[in-house]
Amino acid sequence: WQYALNGALFFLYQTLDGSDGKQARRTGSGSALGELMDHGVDAVVTTLLALIVADVFCFGISSMWPWTFVIVALVSFFLSNMTLVHSGRQMFFDLDVMEIQTTMISALFITAAFGTEVFDQFSFPLPEALHGIKTDFGGILKPGEEIDLTNGRLSLKLFVVLGGLFGCFFNYPQYIWASAKPYVWLRKEDQPEHIKRKVPGSGGLSLFSHLILIHVFLAISCACVAIGTSISDKARSESAMRAFAIVIAFSFGDIMDRVLLMRVAHVPLPLVPPGMAPLAAFSVLAWKDDQVRGIEPAGLGFHWWHFLALSAFLIHSAFFTGSIMRLARALNVHPFLIRKKAEAKSN
């Protein structure tokens, strides 16, 4: 029943998330505040949704697969928003967020109806040329998790997993091109108005720094996963990786909050957002876990990863809440009240 409940809640979230903009335009209550709250919440939720859906494939918290879903989803989320920042319009492609979310919701309902084993029971025949493929990507994937097509069939599990990842990887260069196109392809007179006015966050150098930021985030996140899942004590490793879900969710949320504030309020994006600190600290402390374990207070059940999860949450929450309140005051609106259409127009 948990899968059915999560599927229903995911569907409700997707529906409301797709209709809030239309509702805001209908009531005349749309504002920069709404955009910040909408995408700011999405940035945090993306990690949790990816992990919830990955559970249907029974990989486990210490597997590379669910974290691959998370990291790829977060990078795609960032790059999609970069198209909005630099081109003035958020780009969506043939296989994008709506198609992937629909597949994720379907996977939850299928699991609720037929059990997790259904994804291993069904398979598809493959061309003979693919029968010899078996890889663990140089030891990255653990035994039993590798891609194995030697039996000539592709399981439904691998079909769904690889299909979703392929869609994100296929969109990667398209996101970057859509963001870079105004600078390398369009004539100056044809560039979007915000580029002509040189608002903070626009410009080729800004795009370059944004791409550096997300790829540094990508590298640190991959290091965290590789080191965290390799902690010698299995129980500590699994506990640390559960906390890492909170760390990466709110660290990424902090980065995206600042990107969104840059877009809607023209506040410059810091070179190193504070939310990166708990993420980087996780990789270092996981690497030194054997030494850190010896100085942890005994009997409290509170480990270094809990401190980092709390830190990431507080950094994000303080900045997000403060930004919402400051933006609300600047716009003369209440964060949780919808003004009447006539009143919104008069202001």
Side-chain angles (χ1 to χ4, degrees):
W1 64 267
Q2 294 96 328
Y3 293 111
L5 177 60
N6 278 301
L9 292 174
F10 194 167
F11 177 77
L12 181 62
Y13 160 77
Q14 181 196 48
T15 303
L16 295 175
D17 189 46
S19 59
D20 54 359
K22 295 178 181 178
Q23 174 70 359
R25 287 186 289 273
R26 187 184 71 82
T27 60
S29 57
S31 69
L33 178 64
E35 183 173 340
L36 177 60
M37 292 190 70
D38 181 9
H39 293 283
V41 172
D42 289 343
V44 174
V45 169
T46 298
T47 294
L48 307 180
L49 289 177
L51 287 176
I52 288 170
V53 176
D55 184 67
V56 307
F57 303 117
C58 300
F59 289 124
I61 197 72
S62 296
S63 168
M64 290 294 175
W65 280 114
W67 298 110
T68 301
F69 304 154
V70 168
I71 294 171
V72 168
L74 297 182
V75 172
S76 297
F77 187 103
F78 182 94
L79 293 177
S80 176
N81 276 272
M82 282 299 102
T83 66
L84 178 60
V85 169
H86 293 282
S87 73
R89 184 167 67 92
Q90 191 164 11
M91 302 294 181
F92 296 101
F93 304 107
D94 291 338
L95 181 58
D96 214 302
V97 60
M98 289 302 296
E99 291 75 21
I100 292 175
Q101 284 189 351
T102 301
T103 302
M104 293 167 73
I105 293 170
S106 299
L108 288 168
F109 282 125
I110 289 172
T111 304
F114 303 106
T116 56
E117 61 276 5
V118 68
F119 293 100
D120 289 312
Q121 291 175 344
F122 288 89
S123 60
F124 311 96
L126 291 170
E128 189 172 348
L130 301 178
H131 289 190
I133 295 178
K134 182 177 181 179
T135 179
D136 60 1
F137 293 101
I140 294 177
L141 298 177
K142 298 176 182 179
E145 297 178 354
E146 65 271 9
I147 296 177
D148 186 357
L149 307 180
T150 54
N151 64 353
R153 303 189 70 84
L154 178 69
S155 68
L156 180 59
K157 176 194 289 187
L158 275 180
F159 176 79
V160 174
V161 168
L162 296 179
L165 292 176
F166 172 78
C168 294
F169 288 130
F170 183 74
N171 289 341
Y172 174 86
Q174 297 189 83
Y175 287 137
I176 294 179
W177 170 245
S179 301
K181 186 177 178 180
Y183 310 115
V184 301
W185 190 259
L186 298 182
R187 296 177 299 179
K188 286 190 175 181
E189 56 267 28
D190 296 328
Q191 290 178 333
E193 192 62 32
H194 71 284
I195 294 178
K196 294 178 183 178
R197 292 189 285 111
K198 297 182 180 180
V199 301
S202 65
L205 287 178
S206 292
L207 173 60
F208 181 74
S209 69
H210 298 158
L211 293 178
I212 292 294
L213 172 62
I214 192 58
H215 286 89
V216 169
F217 173 85
L218 169 65
I220 296 176
S221 299
C222 290
C224 288
V225 172
I227 299 169
T229 56
S230 300
I231 292 175
S232 56
D233 187 313
K234 184 179 179 181
R236 284 179 66 86
S237 175
E238 291 181 349
S239 179
M241 293 313 294
R242 283 191 288 270
F244 179 66
I246 305 300
V247 173
I248 193 172
F250 286 103
S251 292
F252 181 75
D254 179 73
I255 294 172
M256 283 308 307
D257 290 345
R258 296 171 194 274
V259 168
L260 293 165
L261 199 64
M262 176 189 69
R263 202 192 89 75
V264 302
H266 301 163
V267 177
L269 180 67
L271 188 62
V272 182
M276 293 283 279
L279 196 69
F282 187 97
S283 64
V284 174
L285 293 175
W287 179 39
K288 296 293 185 179
D289 180 66
D290 288 338
Q291 292 94 313
V292 176
R293 186 188 317 185
I295 61 174
E296 287 180 343
L300 294 181
F302 191 85
H303 304 287
W304 58 262
W305 51 82
H306 297 131
F307 171 76
L308 293 182
L310 180 61
S311 299
F313 170 76
L314 292 176
I315 290 172
H316 168 271
S317 299
F319 181 77
F320 184 66
T321 305
S323 299
I324 290 294
M325 299 309 296
R326 286 191 297 271
L327 196 54
R329 285 196 298 269
L331 296 172
N332 192 29
V333 298
H334 192 285
F336 304 109
L337 294 180
I338 298 176
R339 295 180 297 175
K340 295 180 179 179
K341 195 168 186 177
E343 181 186 351
K345 287 183 175 180
S346 66
N347 290 330

